[in-house]
Amino acid sequence: MTKAYKTLDDMGEVRGKRVLVREDLNVPMVDGKVTDDTRLCAAVPTVSELSDRGAIVLVLAHFGRPKVPSPENSLALVTKPFETVLGRPVRYIDWEGAEDAVAALQPGDIAVLENTRFFGGEEKNEPGVADRFAALGDLYVNDAFSAAHRAHASTEGLAHRLPAFAGRAMEAELDALDKALGRPEHPVAAVVGGAKVSTKLDVLKQMVTKVDHLIIGGGMANTFLAARGVNVGKSLCEHDLTGTAEEILDAADRANCTVHLPYDVVVATEFKPNPATRTVNVHEVAPDEMILDIGPAATEALGDVLKNCRTLVWNGPLGAFETPPFDTATVALARTAAALTGDGSLVSVAGGGDTVAALNQAGVADDFTFVSTAGGAFLEWMEGKDLPGVAALAR
Ligand code: ADP
Ligand code: MG
């Protein structure tokens, strides 16, 4: 099937061509050491392939949130770690004299250009900045899905100035997201959890129109329970949003989307590791208790829902998973989803900072069909928004 955007397969002969490749090299660093190289690893397939094909590979990326150019936000710091992960030489090119440095490169060479955000106009998508980047290259590849929800010069403006292609990581992400919500196999289930309704309103509204089963867990389930007249005690709950919760439940009804709220929950009077807990029906929460996880009966019922579904998209943990034992439901349901994925009966896609952490904690991140580490871009995609960096790649 023809994709909506061009990929590295559509680039033709690239030998000797200068290819500007937007990657996400915004890695966490402590004392000059990269503490999580996931993003560097994600850049490897595209950069290696283009280098193998004889392109002059010029990596564009941002690093941190510099207000003005500063050494601690220099991508020179990331060049060595990237070289290690890539297993081949990587040069660093400063903006000053970049034209000459690029002109000296040979086919197959790889260089990381300095932080795109050293130009004040990068984040404003200023034409002059995109022009400046474009002058350094012949072709443009965007491989940074995680930066695609921002219309910046290096993620959007540049795509209108040079022939533009999706890199391999971008392509894999878009393929997975398309399978999960673009053209999914039904029935589709969504798990939406996490702390608050207020941060996921648009996600919930969008899911209601897209999926057959909406599973609501986490702190936000408390607001929905409160909307249904449940006394949630001292639980995290946005009482001012119960009206909104009711609207979402009504919209779900109209759209034939079945909403699953927990009917048993795990409660405690103190929020600390391994406190005394009770497992109770949602109608039995005492005034001084907090709901911190969904209960075993609800978890088992949700597993049965997933068994009858073909597709799952998951954002947000079902409980306060960082604090034992309130990771129990999240871990159990994640393992069920992983097993069903292994059996070939479920396509499972998950994303979100805490969700990825929870799936890692459950030891199943590799057993899902796809786990997105894109954070903001993943959420905006779940909200049904057009991502400017992706839209700009349209054929
Ligand atoms: P993500 O980062 O995957 O999008 P969120 O940031 O929305 O997820 O939500 C994760 C947070 O929600 C976690 O810190 C977790 O402890 C919290 N949370 C989940 N359930 C509860 C609950 N019942 N009470 C309080 N906090 C909760
Ligand atoms: Mg979070």
Side-chain angles (χ1 to χ4, degrees):
M1 214 202 82
T2 320
K3 300 193 174 178
Y5 48 87
K6 291 183 187 165
T7 71
L8 299 198
D9 298 324
D10 302 301
M11 286 181 96
E13 178 60 69
V14 295
R15 197 174 171 76
K17 296 226 173 98
R18 299 166 303 161
V19 185
L20 289 164
V21 183
R22 180 60 162 93
E23 292 287 358
D24 183 352
L25 303 184
N26 194 26
V27 284
M29 266 188 149
V30 177
D31 299 332
K33 289 225 155 42
V34 174
T35 52
D36 178 353
D37 65 4
T38 309
R39 288 172 165 170
L40 302 184
C41 296
V44 169
T46 295
V47 170
S48 307
E49 177 178 339
L50 289 170
S51 168
D52 288 344
R53 286 166 63 175
I56 295 163
V57 186
L58 305 169
V59 177
L60 278 174
H62 73 281
F63 187 45
R65 297 169 177 269
K67 293 217 170 58
V68 290
S70 59
E72 61 269 28
N73 291 112
S74 172
L75 273 168
L77 298 172
V78 182
T79 305
K80 272 282 162 217
F82 186 44
E83 188 169 82
T84 307
V85 168
L86 199 60
R88 42 181 109 186
V90 179
R91 292 169 180 72
Y92 155 79
I93 294 180
D94 196 358
W95 289 121
E96 207 180 308
E99 287 72 13
D100 293 342
V102 169
L105 297 177
Q106 300 298 311
D109 282 354
I110 300 164
V112 170
L113 298 171
E114 184 52 286
N115 197 337
T116 53
R117 292 191 182 170
F118 281 5
F119 294 99
E122 152 78 337
E123 290 175 78
K124 297 187 201 100
N125 201 4
E126 268 173 21
V129 177
D131 289 343
R132 170 88 200 259
F133 296 151
L136 294 171
D138 304 302
L139 301 165
Y140 170 68
V141 171
N142 190 348
D143 202 28
F145 177 82
S146 53
H149 57 315
R150 308 264 184 255
H152 293 174
S154 69
T155 62
E156 206 274 346
L158 193 46
H160 301 296
R161 285 165 173 76
L162 296 175
F165 306 86
R168 295 300 182 203
M170 173 74 92
E171 187 185 357
E173 181 105 23
L174 293 175
D175 278 352
L177 300 189
D178 192 52
K179 257 203 247 170
L181 279 183
R183 284 165 301 158
E185 272 191 60
H186 286 266
V188 184
V191 172
V192 181
K196 291 179 168 182
V197 173
S198 52
T199 61
K200 305 252 168 108
L201 271 181
D202 290 335
V203 171
L204 290 164
K205 285 180 184 159
Q206 178 70 4
M207 286 304 106
V208 158
T209 67
K210 290 263 180 175
V211 306
D212 307 289
H213 295 274
L214 174 60
I215 294 168
I216 301 178
M220 71 171 66
N222 303 336
T223 303
F224 282 87
L225 290 171
R228 291 211 164 153
V230 169
N231 193 332
V232 297
K234 279 203 310 183
S235 303
L236 177 64
C237 178
E238 293 167 289
H239 290 283
D240 54 325
L241 286 181
T242 51
T244 307
E246 275 173 61
E247 279 165 32
I248 291 168
L249 294 172
D250 288 345
D253 264 349
R254 288 193 299 275
N256 262 328
C257 167
T258 308
V259 177
H260 302 266
L261 288 170
Y263 42 82
D264 64 337
V265 286
V266 181
V267 297
T269 52
E270 281 180 293
F271 188 24
K272 62 173 193 190
N274 302 304
T277 62
R278 299 199 304 140
T279 298
V280 297
N281 180 285
V282 290
H283 294 288
E284 294 164 353
V285 179
D288 64 339
E289 286 177 326
M290 285 170 280
I291 300 172
L292 292 166
D293 199 7
I294 70 173
T299 308
E300 197 177 326
L302 295 177
D304 289 337
V305 171
L306 297 191
K307 281 179 191 130
N308 291 313
C309 285
R310 302 288 293 161
T311 306
L312 166 68
V313 48
W314 186 331
N315 170 258
L318 298 175
F321 77 100
E322 303 95 331
T323 311
F326 307 114
D327 60 339
T328 308
T330 304
V331 168
L333 196 65
R335 289 191 177 147
T336 302
L340 293 168
T341 306
D343 294 344
S345 77
L346 190 70
V347 168
S348 53
V349 173
D354 292 294
T355 309
V356 175
L359 295 184
N360 282 327
Q361 198 166 309
V364 299
D366 292 340
D367 303 323
F368 271 53
T369 309
F370 190 79
V371 176
S372 172
T373 53
F378 179 84
L379 270 183
E380 289 200 21
W381 166 79
M382 267 187 93
E383 291 168 353
K385 294 197 177 129
D386 256 340
L387 308 186
V390 175
L393 294 177
R395 282 177 187 272

mmCIF file of all heavy atoms in Angstrom, residues 189-217:
data_model
loop_
_atom_site.group_PDB
_atom_site.id
_atom_site.type_symbol
_atom_site.label_atom_id
_atom_site.label_comp_id
_atom_site.label_asym_id
_atom_site.label_seq_id
_atom_site.Cartn_x
_atom_site.Cartn_y
_atom_site.Cartn_z
ATOM 1 N N ALA A 189 -9.991 -1.654 22.093
ATOM 2 C CA ALA A 189 -10.089 -1.192 23.480
ATOM 3 C C ALA A 189 -9.050 -0.105 23.715
ATOM 4 O O ALA A 189 -7.952 -0.168 23.168
ATOM 5 C CB ALA A 189 -9.841 -2.345 24.450
ATOM 6 N N ALA A 190 -9.423 0.885 24.514
ATOM 7 C CA ALA A 190 -8.445 1.866 24.975
ATOM 8 C C ALA A 190 -8.391 1.818 26.486
ATOM 9 O O ALA A 190 -9.431 1.750 27.140
ATOM 10 C CB ALA A 190 -8.834 3.272 24.518
ATOM 11 N N VAL A 191 -7.192 1.803 27.035
ATOM 12 C CA VAL A 191 -7.020 1.999 28.471
ATOM 13 C C VAL A 191 -6.562 3.437 28.651
ATOM 14 O O VAL A 191 -5.548 3.842 28.077
ATOM 15 C CB VAL A 191 -5.951 1.043 29.061
ATOM 16 C CG1 VAL A 191 -5.650 1.418 30.510
ATOM 17 C CG2 VAL A 191 -6.408 -0.403 28.973
ATOM 18 N N VAL A 192 -7.324 4.213 29.391
ATOM 19 C CA VAL A 192 -6.887 5.566 29.722
ATOM 20 C C VAL A 192 -6.838 5.658 31.241
ATOM 21 O O VAL A 192 -7.846 5.508 31.924
ATOM 22 C CB VAL A 192 -7.818 6.639 29.129
ATOM 23 C CG1 VAL A 192 -7.305 8.029 29.490
ATOM 24 C CG2 VAL A 192 -7.903 6.500 27.607
ATOM 25 N N GLY A 193 -5.630 5.841 31.746
ATOM 26 C CA GLY A 193 -5.446 5.954 33.191
ATOM 27 C C GLY A 193 -4.606 7.165 33.508
ATOM 28 O O GLY A 193 -4.497 8.080 32.692
ATOM 29 N N GLY A 194 -4.012 7.164 34.666
ATOM 30 C CA GLY A 194 -3.193 8.306 35.063
ATOM 31 C C GLY A 194 -3.870 9.090 36.151
ATOM 32 O O GLY A 194 -4.914 8.685 36.675
ATOM 33 N N ALA A 195 -3.260 10.225 36.474
ATOM 34 C CA ALA A 195 -3.682 10.938 37.662
ATOM 35 C C ALA A 195 -5.005 11.669 37.476
ATOM 36 O O ALA A 195 -5.934 11.501 38.259
ATOM 37 C CB ALA A 195 -2.573 11.901 38.088
ATOM 38 N N LYS A 196 -5.091 12.497 36.430
ATOM 39 C CA LYS A 196 -6.195 13.447 36.383
ATOM 40 C C LYS A 196 -6.966 13.442 35.075
ATOM 41 O O LYS A 196 -6.388 13.319 34.002
ATOM 42 C CB LYS A 196 -5.643 14.855 36.581
ATOM 43 C CG LYS A 196 -5.129 15.108 37.987
ATOM 44 C CD LYS A 196 -4.600 16.515 38.061
ATOM 45 C CE LYS A 196 -4.338 16.912 39.507
ATOM 46 N NZ LYS A 196 -3.858 18.297 39.579
ATOM 47 N N VAL A 197 -8.262 13.645 35.184
ATOM 48 C CA VAL A 197 -9.116 13.819 34.012
ATOM 49 C C VAL A 197 -8.681 15.069 33.241
ATOM 50 O O VAL A 197 -8.638 15.075 32.012
ATOM 51 C CB VAL A 197 -10.598 13.972 34.435
ATOM 52 C CG1 VAL A 197 -11.466 14.329 33.241
ATOM 53 C CG2 VAL A 197 -11.100 12.697 35.087
ATOM 54 N N SER A 198 -8.337 16.121 33.990
ATOM 55 C CA SER A 198 -8.086 17.421 33.352
ATOM 56 C C SER A 198 -6.957 17.375 32.325
ATOM 57 O O SER A 198 -6.977 18.128 31.359
ATOM 58 C CB SER A 198 -7.796 18.485 34.411
ATOM 59 O OG SER A 198 -6.775 18.058 35.276
ATOM 60 N N THR A 199 -5.972 16.482 32.525
ATOM 61 C CA THR A 199 -4.860 16.420 31.570
ATOM 62 C C THR A 199 -5.185 15.526 30.373
ATOM 63 O O THR A 199 -4.428 15.483 29.416
ATOM 64 C CB THR A 199 -3.575 15.869 32.228
ATOM 65 O OG1 THR A 199 -3.840 14.533 32.682
ATOM 66 C CG2 THR A 199 -3.155 16.722 33.405
ATOM 67 N N LYS A 200 -6.311 14.782 30.450
ATOM 68 C CA LYS A 200 -6.598 13.799 29.399
ATOM 69 C C LYS A 200 -7.993 13.980 28.793
ATOM 70 O O LYS A 200 -8.528 13.065 28.178
ATOM 71 C CB LYS A 200 -6.475 12.377 29.969
ATOM 72 C CG LYS A 200 -5.123 12.080 30.631
ATOM 73 C CD LYS A 200 -4.248 11.134 29.826
ATOM 74 C CE LYS A 200 -2.833 11.072 30.334
ATOM 75 N NZ LYS A 200 -2.487 9.832 31.016
ATOM 76 N N LEU A 201 -8.576 15.163 29.003
ATOM 77 C CA LEU A 201 -9.930 15.401 28.495
ATOM 78 C C LEU A 201 -10.050 15.126 27.007
ATOM 79 O O LEU A 201 -10.957 14.428 26.552
ATOM 80 C CB LEU A 201 -10.330 16.859 28.736
ATOM 81 C CG LEU A 201 -11.007 17.175 30.054
ATOM 82 C CD1 LEU A 201 -11.349 18.662 30.107
ATOM 83 C CD2 LEU A 201 -12.264 16.327 30.184
ATOM 84 N N ASP A 202 -9.112 15.695 26.234
ATOM 85 C CA ASP A 202 -9.189 15.543 24.781
ATOM 86 C C ASP A 202 -8.951 14.098 24.365
ATOM 87 O O ASP A 202 -9.522 13.626 23.382
ATOM 88 C CB ASP A 202 -8.198 16.482 24.087
ATOM 89 C CG ASP A 202 -8.624 17.944 24.230
ATOM 90 O OD1 ASP A 202 -9.842 18.172 24.419
ATOM 91 O OD2 ASP A 202 -7.764 18.834 24.165
ATOM 92 N N VAL A 203 -8.103 13.398 25.116
ATOM 93 C CA VAL A 203 -7.865 11.978 24.828
ATOM 94 C C VAL A 203 -9.164 11.196 25.044
ATOM 95 O O VAL A 203 -9.587 10.418 24.191
ATOM 96 C CB VAL A 203 -6.748 11.399 25.732
ATOM 97 C CG1 VAL A 203 -6.653 9.893 25.586
ATOM 98 C CG2 VAL A 203 -5.400 12.050 25.410
ATOM 99 N N LEU A 204 -9.810 11.434 26.181
ATOM 100 C CA LEU A 204 -11.046 10.709 26.494
ATOM 101 C C LEU A 204 -12.119 10.977 25.442
ATOM 102 O O LEU A 204 -12.771 10.049 24.954
ATOM 103 C CB LEU A 204 -11.554 11.115 27.879
ATOM 104 C CG LEU A 204 -10.697 10.623 29.058
ATOM 105 C CD1 LEU A 204 -11.038 11.397 30.329
ATOM 106 C CD2 LEU A 204 -10.905 9.122 29.282
ATOM 107 N N LYS A 205 -12.290 12.252 25.073
ATOM 108 C CA LYS A 205 -13.321 12.603 24.088
ATOM 109 C C LYS A 205 -13.053 11.925 22.744
ATOM 110 O O LYS A 205 -13.968 11.454 22.076
ATOM 111 C CB LYS A 205 -13.372 14.123 23.897
ATOM 112 C CG LYS A 205 -14.037 14.826 25.070
ATOM 113 C CD LYS A 205 -14.072 16.324 24.858
ATOM 114 C CE LYS A 205 -14.641 17.023 26.093
ATOM 115 N NZ LYS A 205 -14.245 18.440 26.133
ATOM 116 N N GLN A 206 -11.790 11.893 22.360
ATOM 117 C CA GLN A 206 -11.421 11.277 21.097
ATOM 118 C C GLN A 206 -11.623 9.754 21.148
ATOM 119 O O GLN A 206 -12.162 9.154 20.223
ATOM 120 C CB GLN A 206 -9.957 11.636 20.772
ATOM 121 C CG GLN A 206 -9.417 11.031 19.502
ATOM 122 C CD GLN A 206 -10.029 11.629 18.246
ATOM 123 O OE1 GLN A 206 -10.812 12.567 18.303
ATOM 124 N NE2 GLN A 206 -9.688 11.065 17.114
ATOM 125 N N MET A 207 -11.208 9.133 22.256
ATOM 126 C CA MET A 207 -11.301 7.670 22.378
ATOM 127 C C MET A 207 -12.757 7.198 22.281
ATOM 128 O O MET A 207 -13.057 6.184 21.671
ATOM 129 C CB MET A 207 -10.698 7.196 23.703
ATOM 130 C CG MET A 207 -9.184 7.246 23.754
ATOM 131 S SD MET A 207 -8.420 6.304 22.425
ATOM 132 C CE MET A 207 -7.856 7.590 21.383
ATOM 133 N N VAL A 208 -13.650 7.964 22.892
ATOM 134 C CA VAL A 208 -15.063 7.605 22.886
ATOM 135 C C VAL A 208 -15.591 7.427 21.462
ATOM 136 O O VAL A 208 -16.391 6.534 21.193
ATOM 137 C CB VAL A 208 -15.842 8.711 23.648
ATOM 138 C CG1 VAL A 208 -17.291 8.728 23.255
ATOM 139 C CG2 VAL A 208 -15.681 8.515 25.148
ATOM 140 N N THR A 209 -15.090 8.256 20.552
ATOM 141 C CA THR A 209 -15.588 8.172 19.169
ATOM 142 C C THR A 209 -14.865 7.100 18.364
ATOM 143 O O THR A 209 -15.300 6.747 17.278
ATOM 144 C CB THR A 209 -15.414 9.511 18.416
ATOM 145 O OG1 THR A 209 -14.008 9.749 18.237
ATOM 146 C CG2 THR A 209 -16.015 10.662 19.199
ATOM 147 N N LYS A 210 -13.748 6.601 18.877
ATOM 148 C CA LYS A 210 -12.906 5.706 18.074
ATOM 149 C C LYS A 210 -12.951 4.245 18.505
ATOM 150 O O LYS A 210 -12.673 3.362 17.708
ATOM 151 C CB LYS A 210 -11.440 6.164 18.174
ATOM 152 C CG LYS A 210 -11.145 7.463 17.479
ATOM 153 C CD LYS A 210 -10.582 7.184 16.116
ATOM 154 C CE LYS A 210 -10.287 8.476 15.392
ATOM 155 N NZ LYS A 210 -9.633 8.255 14.126
ATOM 156 N N VAL A 211 -13.193 3.999 19.785
ATOM 157 C CA VAL A 211 -13.005 2.634 20.283
ATOM 158 C C VAL A 211 -14.323 2.008 20.725
ATOM 159 O O VAL A 211 -15.317 2.703 20.952
ATOM 160 C CB VAL A 211 -11.974 2.588 21.450
ATOM 161 C CG1 VAL A 211 -10.667 3.244 21.035
ATOM 162 C CG2 VAL A 211 -12.521 3.248 22.717
ATOM 163 N N ASP A 212 -14.308 0.695 20.844
ATOM 164 C CA ASP A 212 -15.494 -0.038 21.271
ATOM 165 C C ASP A 212 -15.563 -0.152 22.790
ATOM 166 O O ASP A 212 -16.645 -0.211 23.363
ATOM 167 C CB ASP A 212 -15.479 -1.429 20.625
ATOM 168 C CG ASP A 212 -15.302 -1.325 19.110
ATOM 169 O OD1 ASP A 212 -16.252 -0.897 18.453
ATOM 170 O OD2 ASP A 212 -14.197 -1.623 18.607
ATOM 171 N N HIS A 213 -14.387 -0.215 23.423
ATOM 172 C CA HIS A 213 -14.324 -0.332 24.883
ATOM 173 C C HIS A 213 -13.365 0.704 25.439
ATOM 174 O O HIS A 213 -12.187 0.726 25.060
ATOM 175 C CB HIS A 213 -13.832 -1.728 25.295
ATOM 176 C CG HIS A 213 -14.774 -2.821 24.900
ATOM 177 N ND1 HIS A 213 -15.836 -3.191 25.681
ATOM 178 C CD2 HIS A 213 -14.818 -3.602 23.785
ATOM 179 C CE1 HIS A 213 -16.499 -4.170 25.077
ATOM 180 N NE2 HIS A 213 -15.905 -4.437 23.918
ATOM 181 N N LEU A 214 -13.851 1.543 26.330
ATOM 182 C CA LEU A 214 -12.987 2.516 26.989
ATOM 183 C C LEU A 214 -12.825 2.107 28.449
ATOM 184 O O LEU A 214 -13.806 2.079 29.211
ATOM 185 C CB LEU A 214 -13.593 3.923 26.898
ATOM 186 C CG LEU A 214 -12.859 5.027 27.676
ATOM 187 C CD1 LEU A 214 -11.413 5.170 27.184
ATOM 188 C CD2 LEU A 214 -13.594 6.356 27.537
ATOM 189 N N ILE A 215 -11.601 1.738 28.793
ATOM 190 C CA ILE A 215 -11.303 1.301 30.159
ATOM 191 C C ILE A 215 -10.688 2.481 30.897
ATOM 192 O O ILE A 215 -9.634 2.982 30.500
ATOM 193 C CB ILE A 215 -10.316 0.108 30.123
ATOM 194 C CG1 ILE A 215 -11.002 -1.112 29.481
ATOM 195 C CG2 ILE A 215 -9.785 -0.202 31.522
ATOM 196 C CD1 ILE A 215 -10.040 -2.247 29.126
ATOM 197 N N ILE A 216 -11.358 2.951 31.925
ATOM 198 C CA ILE A 216 -10.850 4.110 32.665
ATOM 199 C C ILE A 216 -10.318 3.632 34.016
ATOM 200 O O ILE A 216 -11.019 2.955 34.774
ATOM 201 C CB ILE A 216 -11.946 5.177 32.866
ATOM 202 C CG1 ILE A 216 -12.467 5.638 31.495
ATOM 203 C CG2 ILE A 216 -11.393 6.373 33.647
ATOM 204 C CD1 ILE A 216 -13.586 6.663 31.577
ATOM 205 N N GLY A 217 -9.069 3.967 34.285
ATOM 206 C CA GLY A 217 -8.459 3.583 35.561
ATOM 207 C C GLY A 217 -7.673 4.749 36.135
ATOM 208 O O GLY A 217 -7.780 5.882 35.661
#
